[in-house]
Amino acid sequence: MLSGTPAEQPAPVVRPEVWETYGPADLSAVPVFAGGFINFGYWQAVDLEQPLSQGDRIRSEQDLYRHVLDAVGPAGGRAVEVGCGLGLGCALALEEYGPTEMTGVDVHPHQLRRAREANSLLLEARPPRLRFVLGAAESLPLGEAEFDCLYSVEAAQHFPDLPAFAREAARVLRPGGRVAIASFFSVDGAPAPAQRLAGLLDSFASGLDIARPVSGLDEALTDAGFVDVRIDSIGPQVWPGWDRWLARLWEPGTWPRNFLAAWEQQILDYYLVTATRP
């Protein structure tokens, strides 16, 4: 049975761009995010030379979760996803990876309402193995040393304070616990990445996505006490497939197609970052 009651905290502050995109605009309902996972996908198992189906798209989103979960290893332990969205990744983890308990945390109350609706049967199961709680990545409403693994899939590009997130991850993980973050960051050494990304991509120009080098997350995790920090580019498995899917809905020259251009110009890449709490 799930143990530990989320600590009482004030409702988290949600940046206006995040509030609109994941609240009234409901990004999960946009056709490009078929299946409701809200990620760009991990396309290694999809034949990009063939016409893409909605099934291919959903598999890519699920496979991104699988790639992260393979790296973090939640089997038999307590797991938490930070930035869980509709909670479909939490459900996949429970079904395929067997954590004893699963907690999904999201900063947006609208997303948590949708997550509870989408996962109502799992939430009603007895004994309970799933819960969703409202909280910010920088101030998790969770107990100390409560979890064996913590992961986040395509949410860290929105986190305003990576060092605070890393400290919270270290606080809620038990010794030996693992953390895995999959998201897109600017490439270390790229000149003027914030300005160039804002010129290419509306999500950076609006402030929804925050341009930061991946080394910033490395430093944040190291400063928080994590060891064995590893950074792996998974861009080749993300960007070409994502662009092929976008091509069904967006014409060349429209801003979403510039994600591939930003990668090809070595400004932006997609990374999987893992570390261990000693």
Side-chain angles (χ1 to χ4, degrees):
M1 176 177 288
L2 284 167
S3 59
T5 301
E8 290 294 329
Q9 294 186 3
V13 175
V14 184
R15 296 191 297 117
E17 303 85 2
V18 172
W19 180 268
E20 174 63 25
T21 301
Y22 295 96
D26 188 8
L27 197 61
S28 65
V30 176
V32 75
F33 293 110
F37 280 86
I38 321 182
N39 68 60
F40 292 173
Y42 186 84
W43 298 83
Q44 188 173 46
V46 177
D47 185 354
L48 300 182
E49 299 303 317
Q50 300 297 320
L52 297 179
S53 67
Q54 181 164 292
D56 292 327
R57 173 63 179 130
I58 293 171
R59 177 174 183 175
S60 79
E61 295 174 290
Q62 294 172 331
D63 280 354
L64 183 58
Y65 268 93
R66 293 181 180 114
H67 190 65
V68 172
L69 291 164
D70 285 344
V72 79
R78 303 185 71 196
V80 56
E81 179 180 355
V82 179
C84 67
L86 272 65
L88 302 182
C90 294
L92 185 150
L94 279 172
E95 179 179 353
E96 298 185 13
Y97 288 82
T100 54
E101 299 171 4
M102 183 77 231
T103 296
V105 180
D106 203 276
V107 74
H108 206 305
H110 293 190
Q111 290 291 73
L112 285 185
R113 184 190 71 240
R114 296 174 186 130
R116 291 179 178 124
E117 292 171 354
N119 298 280
S120 59
L121 293 179
L122 281 174
L123 291 169
E124 292 168 3
R126 292 292 181 269
R129 294 174 59 210
L130 175 65
R131 65 175 174 173
F132 294 109
V133 297
L134 181 69
E138 301 81 12
S139 182
L140 295 171
L142 306 169
E144 294 189 9
E146 190 175 348
F147 296 95
D148 299 288
C149 70
L150 178 152
Y151 67 91
S152 181
V153 177
E154 206 165 303
Q157 73 275 8
H158 303 318
F159 296 169
D161 189 337
L162 289 178
F165 162 64
R167 290 192 295 270
E168 282 292 271
R171 181 182 66 81
V172 304
L173 282 172
R174 295 170 179 162
R178 296 274 291 162
V179 62
I181 303 103
S183 190
F184 45 94
F185 296 87
S186 63
V187 176
D188 284 331
Q195 294 84 347
R196 295 167 71 192
L197 288 171
L200 286 169
L201 296 160
D202 285 4
S203 59
F204 284 94
S206 70
L208 174 65
D209 297 329
I210 303 172
R212 290 167 297 200
V214 69
S215 59
L217 180 56
D218 183 344
E219 293 169 4
L221 292 169
T222 300
D223 289 347
F226 284 94
V227 297
D228 302 326
V229 180
R230 175 169 175 168
I231 300 173
D232 291 308
S233 166
I234 58 172
Q237 290 78 43
V238 174
W239 302 118
W242 174 235
D243 189 69
R244 284 274 285 108
W245 179 251
L246 289 174
R248 294 167 45 109
L249 304 167
W250 299 84
E251 294 294 327
T254 51
W255 78 262
R257 302 293 300 278
N258 284 336
F259 278 103
L260 183 66
W263 177 56
E264 291 174 337
Q265 295 173 33
Q266 299 182 30
I267 311 168
L268 189 71
D269 203 357
Y270 209 109
Y271 297 94
L272 174 62
V273 181
T274 56
T276 302
R277 183 192 184 281

